[in-house]
Amino acid sequence: MSLLLCVWAAMSTQGQQQDHSNLVNIKKGGGACLTEKDCHFGGICAVDSKTCHCDPTWTGTHCSMLHLLPARKGSGYPTVPATTQLPSKSPFPWGGAVILERNGNENNTLYHGYFTEYMLNCPMTYATWGTQTHIRHATSPSPDGPWTPLDVAVPAAAGNPVIVRAPDGMYLLYFTNHRWVGPQRNCTGPVKDWGPPYYCDSSTANCNTGISLAYSKSLHGPWTIHYDVVNFSCTNPGAPVFAPNGTILLAYKTWIKQGRCVGVVSADNWSSFPYDHFPTGGLDSCLGTAPEIEDPSNMWFDERSNVHVLFHEKAWGGAATSPDFGRTWPDYNSTRVAYPYTVLFEDNTTLACEHREEPKVLLDENSLPSLLITQCTVATLAQRTLPTKKFHSGETQFLTRIVMQPINTRSL
């Protein structure tokens, strides 16, 4: 058994001794309401009973939580997990997105994943995110794996991938771009031979980040890259939704005086660069502002044309909804829990993520979410990086994995 599976087993052993009803036996609807807003736009407020009736996607008395189902053991990316034993034979990931390609036959499906990897099997560290990452393309016959790694869709340095197909058939792969063109640490050999990490020093290089776009008519590429689709400092794009006239609405993370901000920007169409229309009134008018808010997901429409988005809060996943294509987000609050840090598996074991970030959803044939894709920090590694000028005692390294958990799609 791999060391990662041992880590999972240790966590799961503890989990088997616990009652997980709080993760699965959640009351679906029934909360008192006067309007749809009281149900977080995740269902309707029944006229007769004045109680919330939740859509399949949502649960909780007021439809505030994703209706998550147990995950398949062994699902996620990479299929062969990285371990706490270094050097690792597999990469350490940091978030990803999945899209379905039908190939003209509903019985001949192929799922494409685009995953941030720390290059050359180096463990994840926060400060090398802008120097050591690229976006890997992988495919699978099933939505949650097993995954076959293929080409590098976006070379170093790049992260936060999210994928969507535009109404004109073009595939749009948005990502956070970095200006790093220097070397990377190589962690494929014995640990004693690893050098120190490379960091971007703004005194010698352009360390700015922004949102860029790779687009192609095929999920296999080749990709044409347009850097900086917006002209302000931001990261963490969320794939857009499209109005009938082609107008796009895209989420991002930035920083304002009040703290971190998840905002939205729009444009007349996906190729109208730079995107510079702000439905909420300007860069400082965010859909949510909080000390730890980040990582907006791809957005989606529900059957009542509400726009939904997920994001990462301090110790849980949050969500917000707009009934008017991004102009207002009346149900946002920083304490709403849309998904927990704990992942429940089909065998009733659990994985307690130290952090569960970078939420994305796989949209099904009805363009509704069917799979939650998140970055899980499984464990803090005992070994730090070599000391550097930036980190005199070395930087903390983490064991990471992308977990994939089904979302309910059936009416109950």
Side-chain angles (χ1 to χ4, degrees), residues 200-378:
C200 193
D201 181 354
S202 59
S203 66
T204 59
N206 185 345
C207 300
N208 292 335
T209 58
I211 292 175
S212 293
L213 171 65
Y215 58 93
S216 174
K217 293 182 178 179
S218 169
L219 288 167
H220 293 277
W223 299 92
T224 300
I225 296 180
H226 184 103
Y227 286 99
D228 297 319
V229 299
V230 297
N231 56 9
F232 57 91
S233 179
C234 60
T235 63
N236 299 85
V241 288
F242 301 86
N245 65 358
T247 299
I248 71 164
L249 182 71
L250 179 142
Y252 59 87
K253 180 187 82 171
T254 191
W255 299 262
I256 61 175
K257 292 180 180 179
Q258 294 84 354
R260 292 183 182 182
C261 155
V262 168
V264 288
V265 65
S266 67
D268 292 339
N269 58 68
W270 69 263
S271 59
S272 296
F273 309 123
Y275 305 162
D276 58 4
H277 304 322
F278 297 94
T280 56
L283 179 61
D284 289 350
S285 299
C286 311
L287 72 87
T289 302
E292 302 294 336
I293 194 171
E294 60 179 358
D295 301 345
S297 73
N298 50 325
M299 293 186 283
W300 72 92
F301 287 109
D302 65 22
E303 294 177 346
R304 296 177 300 281
S305 298
N306 298 310
V307 177
H308 297 266
V309 66
L310 304 174
F311 39 81
H312 176 233
E313 285 277 9
K314 183 175 183 180
W316 56 84
T321 308
S322 173
D324 51 15
F325 201 66
R327 289 187 292 275
T328 62
W329 299 82
D331 76 318
Y332 169 75
N333 70 75
S334 61
T335 61
R336 176 184 175 183
V337 178
Y339 67 85
Y341 269 20
T342 301
V343 182
L344 177 67
F345 293 99
E346 292 174 336
D347 63 358
N348 204 41
T349 60
T350 59
L351 173 62
C353 301
E354 292 184 5
H355 297 279
R356 193 178 182 188
E357 309 175 51
E358 297 276 339
K360 304 292 185 294
V361 294
L362 169 65
L363 301 179
D364 66 12
E365 62 275 8
N366 298 313
S367 298
L368 295 174
S370 60
L371 188 73
L372 175 63
I373 304 155
T374 50
Q375 166 63 39
C376 176
T377 302
V378 180

Side-chain angles (χ1 to χ4, degrees), residues 38-61:
D38 298 327
C39 307
H40 293 281
F41 301 96
I44 62 170
C45 181
V47 175
D48 53 352
S49 64
K50 296 298 182 183
T51 58
C52 294
H53 290 203
C54 302
D55 297 338
T57 303
W58 301 98
T59 191
T61 57

Side-chain angles (χ1 to χ4, degrees), residues 26 85 162 314 338 340 351 388:
I26 300 170
Q85 182 177 355
V162 64
K314 183 175 183 180
L351 173 62
T388 61

Side-chain angles (χ1 to χ4, degrees), residues 44-181:
I44 62 170
C45 181
V47 175
D48 53 352
S49 64
K50 296 298 182 183
T51 58
C52 294
H53 290 203
C54 302
D55 297 338
T57 303
W58 301 98
T59 191
T61 57
H62 291 82
C63 313
S64 61
M65 299 179 64
L66 283 175
H67 189 155
L68 295 173
L69 304 176
R72 179 178 62 83
K73 206 66 173 280
S75 61
Y77 184 85
T79 297
V80 178
T83 72
T84 55
Q85 182 177 355
L86 302 176
S88 172
K89 295 181 179 179
S90 295
F92 295 79
W94 190 254
V98 177
I99 192 171
L100 171 63
E101 179 185 30
R102 285 203 170 275
N103 297 320
N105 184 339
E106 65 179 15
N107 296 318
N108 182 21
T109 59
L110 186 66
Y111 293 87
H112 292 255
Y114 300 88
F115 305 110
T116 301
E117 291 180 342
Y118 279 77
M119 299 167 62
L120 301 171
N121 291 2
C122 286
M124 178 268 164
T125 80
Y126 284 102
T128 58
W129 176 68
T131 60
Q132 192 78 32
T133 55
H134 64 198
I135 298 173
R136 172 73 65 185
H137 172 217
T139 57
S140 170
S142 301
D144 61 356
W147 293 97
T148 300
L150 300 175
D151 54 297
V152 173
V154 183
N160 307 127
V162 64
I163 183 80
V164 68
R165 190 180 189 189
D168 63 4
M170 192 72 73
Y171 290 103
L172 310 178
L173 178 60
Y174 291 89
F175 62 95
T176 299
N177 58 277
H178 311 289
R179 295 299 191 268
W180 181 252
V181 293

